[in-house]
Amino acid sequence: MNTEALLAENVEEAEPLYVVHESPVHGRGVFARRLIPAGTRIIEYTGEIVDWEECCRRTEEKGGPIGHTFFFSLNNGMLIDGGTGGNEARYINHSCEPNCEAEEDDDDRVYICSLRDIEEGEELNYNYGLIYEARHTARVKKEFACYCGAPSCTGVMLAPKKRKSRSKAAAQAPASGG
Ligand SMILES: [Zn+2]
């Protein structure tokens, strides 16, 4: 055990409220390590701040917006790329009936906060409300299919129409022929 770990042991606040492991919903997920009361700021959504142009370039580089996106759109028009220098927040899955929500601060920082009490072991999730400007074709819907299993599940992680804030963003891959 290193010094940092020993120090962390003595600092209650240093113990994370969450743990990352395989999710039954999609890939890896983030789970409550202990009871998280409603209204708790659980984790900041961090990553490199990029503009739309850079977001599109990175998306194209990876072959398009497939299944998952780590971009989070800010009110000021910029995006957080959780895939570059981001933390565990990028593994929090989408749900149509979420137990968390994303809150943006006045200083353009985004935090994932609990909407209700969350039991130990429960998977954390929030509604991505994914912005995708291109037509929501069957193929697009399949790419962004939702498996949250909530009774009100819409089947997709996409927002029904354009939303300005507190949303993740999926850049349209240029020259996709659509
Ligand atoms: Zn769903």
Side-chain angles (χ1 to χ4, degrees), residues 132-169:
Y132 191 74
E133 305 282 351
R135 253 184 56 202
H136 294 183
T137 59
R139 199 187 122 261
V140 167
K141 285 178 179 171
K142 201 178 161 198
E143 295 277 10
F144 295 103
C146 179
Y147 303 103
C148 77
S152 66
C153 182
T154 60
V156 286
M157 300 188 285
L158 300 163
K161 57 188 171 189
K162 197 171 174 179
R163 275 169 40 160
K164 283 281 181 196
S165 64
R166 296 186 300 282
S167 302
K168 280 203 162 183

Side-chain angles (χ1 to χ4, degrees), residues 39-163:
T40 304
R41 240 180 208 191
I42 301 168
I43 184 173
E44 181 176 358
Y45 194 98
T46 62
E48 192 183 338
I49 307 293
V50 297
D51 58 18
W52 260 104
E53 204 181 322
E54 179 61 13
C55 171
C56 291
R57 196 192 65 75
R58 291 182 183 188
T59 301
E60 190 185 12
E61 203 173 74
K62 288 172 184 160
I66 302 161
H68 236 112
T69 174
F70 292 142
F71 293 102
F72 199 105
S73 68
L74 296 166
N75 288 328
N76 65 9
M78 302 293 279
L79 301 106
I80 303 173
D81 180 5
T84 308
N87 59 6
E88 288 98 336
R90 70 183 187 274
Y91 297 124
I92 300 176
N93 280 311
H94 163 92
S95 174
C96 299
E97 283 183 30
N99 52 20
C100 296
E101 67 178 347
E103 286 180 4
E104 185 177 338
D105 239 356
D106 291 338
D107 56 356
D108 305 325
R109 293 169 75 167
V110 171
Y111 300 90
I112 307 302
C113 305
S114 51
L115 284 168
R116 57 167 171 80
D117 291 354
I118 299 170
E119 302 291 330
E120 179 184 341
E122 242 189 281
E123 179 166 2
L124 307 182
N125 46 52
Y126 63 99
N127 193 325
Y128 284 3
L130 271 177
I131 298 164
Y132 191 74
E133 305 282 351
R135 253 184 56 202
H136 294 183
T137 59
R139 199 187 122 261
V140 167
K141 285 178 179 171
K142 201 178 161 198
E143 295 277 10
F144 295 103
C146 179
Y147 303 103
C148 77
S152 66
C153 182
T154 60
V156 286
M157 300 188 285
L158 300 163
K161 57 188 171 189
K162 197 171 174 179
R163 275 169 40 160

